């Protein structure tokens, strides 16, 4: 296991080094979906699981659990994700975000995040290792549709693996057990909040293409923020989205 982790981190480091030499305009790959046939099959599988299992549970969750309780659960899940934001903000040299996220994590640790003691006043930008790789100009890579995990760019999936390893190292065994329990809770919570959006995707002429377009646009905006308007593919994304409506 240790050798595997060493190889994994080495590969990521090499990828960052090579990507750092590229031009900023080359974040976007030309052949965005070379695995479309496989991706579509996985999307169909995920859609089936969502409709048969996740959606019924999520619908019951929204109906039966009071909104105040759901808000507390969401707050707790956000708090659990702060260590990743702190770690990646530090690597990205975003000092302000690092300080704010660290302060909020310690403050809300008094309630395990179930109650936001700063009442949402601290504006924190969520950071993950995928955004860190983007910071070092690593190309986003092809689009992937993963079983259960859903859509991700190759770069973001690599970042997801690293973030998962980091969380396992910075938390205690007890917290790791809690995290495993919270994975399905997080899925149900997010499904409830994104219900209208996901239903719109499913009801479109081509749900797979709609999902891919929706994910890629939102992910690029999240990763590049205000720099997104400089990316040459932005206008193409928007025109393509119009055709799907």
């Amino acid at each position: 296991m240790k050798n595997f982790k060493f190889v994994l981190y080495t590969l990521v480091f090499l990828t960052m080094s090579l990507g750092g030499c590229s031009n900023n305009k080359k974040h976007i790959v030309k052949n965005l979906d070379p695995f479309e046939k496989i991706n579509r099959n996985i999307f169909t599988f995920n859609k089936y699981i969502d409709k048969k299992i996740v959606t019924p549970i999520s619908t019951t969750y929204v109906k039966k659990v009071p909104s105040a309780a759901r808000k507390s659960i969401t707050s707790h899940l956000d708090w659990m994700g702060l260590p990743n934001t702190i770690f990646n903000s530090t690597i990205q040299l975003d000092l302000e975000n690092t300080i704010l996220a660290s302060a909020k994590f310690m403050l809300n640790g008094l309630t395990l995040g179930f109650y936001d003691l700063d009442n949402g006043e601290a504006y924190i930008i969520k950071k993950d290792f995928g955004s860190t790789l983007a910071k070092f100009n690593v190309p986003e890579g092809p689009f992937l549709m993963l079983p259960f995990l859903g859509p991700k760019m190759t770069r973001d999936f690599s970042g997801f693996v690293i973030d998962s390893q980091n969380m396992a190292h910075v938390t205690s065994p007890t917290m790791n057990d809690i995290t495993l329990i919270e994975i399905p809770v997080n899925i149900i919570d997010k499904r409830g909040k994104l219900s209208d959006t996901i239903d719109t995707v499913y009801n479109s002429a081509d749900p797979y293409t709609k999902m891919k377009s929706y994910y890629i646009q939102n992910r690029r905006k999240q990763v590049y923020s205000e720099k997104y308007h400089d990316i040459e593919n932005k206008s193409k994304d928007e025109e393509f989205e119009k055709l799907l409506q």
Side-chain angles (χ1 to χ4, degrees), residues 79 82 100-120 122:
W79 176 77
L82 282 174
L100 288 175
S102 299
K104 185 161 188 170
F105 182 73
M106 290 187 290
L107 177 64
N108 286 348
L110 298 172
T111 65
L112 293 180
F114 283 104
Y115 184 80
D116 189 359
L117 294 174
D118 76 346
N119 294 318

Side-chain angles (χ1 to χ4, degrees), residues 110-159:
L110 298 172
T111 65
L112 293 180
F114 283 104
Y115 184 80
D116 189 359
L117 294 174
D118 76 346
N119 294 318
E121 293 182 4
Y123 177 68
I124 298 170
I125 302 173
K126 185 178 180 180
K127 303 277 188 178
D128 53 41
F129 203 75
S131 66
T132 297
L133 292 175
K135 180 76 172 181
F136 287 91
N137 298 333
V138 175
E140 63 185 0
F143 176 78
L144 299 174
M145 183 64 68
L146 302 167
F148 303 107
L149 295 177
K152 289 190 183 296
M153 306 308 291
T154 307
R155 178 184 64 200
D156 297 322
F157 177 60
S158 300

Side-chain angles (χ1 to χ4, degrees), residues 64-191:
K64 299 296 184 181
V65 179
S67 59
R70 297 200 309 272
K71 182 178 179 181
S72 294
I73 291 171
T74 298
S75 178
H76 171 70
L77 294 170
D78 289 342
W79 176 77
M80 288 288 290
L82 282 174
N84 268 333
T85 291
I86 296 168
F87 173 77
N88 287 290
S89 295
T90 302
I91 296 177
Q92 295 178 35
L93 302 180
D94 189 341
L95 182 60
E96 180 181 358
N97 207 57
T98 301
I99 293 174
L100 288 175
S102 299
K104 185 161 188 170
F105 182 73
M106 290 187 290
L107 177 64
N108 286 348
L110 298 172
T111 65
L112 293 180
F114 283 104
Y115 184 80
D116 189 359
L117 294 174
D118 76 346
N119 294 318
E121 293 182 4
Y123 177 68
I124 298 170
I125 302 173
K126 185 178 180 180
K127 303 277 188 178
D128 53 41
F129 203 75
S131 66
T132 297
L133 292 175
K135 180 76 172 181
F136 287 91
N137 298 333
V138 175
E140 63 185 0
F143 176 78
L144 299 174
M145 183 64 68
L146 302 167
F148 303 107
L149 295 177
K152 289 190 183 296
M153 306 308 291
T154 307
R155 178 184 64 200
D156 297 322
F157 177 60
S158 300
F160 170 78
V161 174
I162 298 298
D163 284 332
S164 299
Q165 292 294 323
N166 287 337
M167 283 298 294
H169 285 297
V170 301
T171 57
S172 65
T174 301
M175 290 297 286
N176 288 335
D177 292 338
I178 294 175
T179 300
L180 289 175
I181 296 172
E182 288 174 341
I183 290 175
V185 176
N186 193 24
I187 292 174
I188 293 168
D189 183 62
K190 285 185 177 180
R191 182 60 175 85

